[in-house]
Amino acid sequence: KPFEVDEVFARLRALLRRVDKAVAAGGAAIDGPDGVVRAGDLHIDPGARRAWRGPREVELTRTEFDLLHLLARNEGIVLDHATIYDRIWGYDFGPNSKNLAVYVGYLRRKLDVPGAPPLIHTLRGVGYVLRAS
């Protein structure tokens, strides 16, 4: 059948990310015994879909929660744009998409506390990482 080379490469990248995800799962942060993911003063309860920064509960949309949970479970690990797009939205929006940057901005506005270090860091041209310290 005729096919688009770009589509074949996109499908191969998606397959490789799934393999990388399965391999990386062994190194990802494990939920605590109560199921809560902790990173510094950030606490995420995936079962209840609730998150707190210190004593303050943070109201998050579905996508914001999923993105924060992904970053927190992989604390200290840089996640590239393609991996985040695949894990949160199920596909890559393409190199010109600003969708991810918009959601990271939403999270930063909701999470960052004056006087406290930011949680989410940008590695320009690579991706994002959550660092609690």
Side-chain angles (χ1 to χ4, degrees):
K1 282 184 164 182
F3 59 88
E4 292 290 327
V5 174
D6 290 339
E7 183 174 346
V8 170
F9 284 129
R11 289 177 184 256
L12 286 171
R13 282 192 303 271
L15 288 170
L16 290 172
R17 282 192 303 270
R18 287 187 201 120
V19 169
D20 287 344
K21 181 178 15 173
V23 170
I30 305 297
D31 294 352
D34 54 359
V36 174
V37 177
R38 290 179 175 81
D41 67 345
L42 177 69
H43 306 286
I44 301 171
D45 183 348
R49 296 191 66 83
R50 297 171 69 187
W52 295 264
R53 175 94 196 252
R56 178 179 58 93
E57 184 168 0
V58 182
E59 295 291 326
L60 300 172
T61 66
R62 178 184 159 264
T63 303
E64 291 167 350
F65 181 87
D66 292 342
L67 178 57
L68 181 60
H69 187 232
L70 174 66
L71 290 169
R73 283 191 60 110
N74 293 281
E75 179 186 1
I77 299 170
V78 178
L79 299 175
D80 65 22
H81 296 104
T83 299
I84 296 171
Y85 276 126
D86 184 55
R87 307 259 298 269
I88 301 301
W89 288 279
Y91 55 92
D92 195 338
F93 284 89
N96 296 324
S97 175
K98 300 296 178 202
N99 201 32
L100 179 57
V102 168
Y103 275 94
V104 168
Y106 292 157
L107 278 177
R108 285 179 171 149
R109 281 192 287 280
K110 291 181 177 187
L111 290 173
D112 287 350
V113 177
L119 289 177
I120 301 172
H121 301 271
T122 304
L123 274 81
R124 236 179 191 347
V126 180
Y128 297 94
V129 61
L130 187 137
R131 289 191 188 116
S133 53

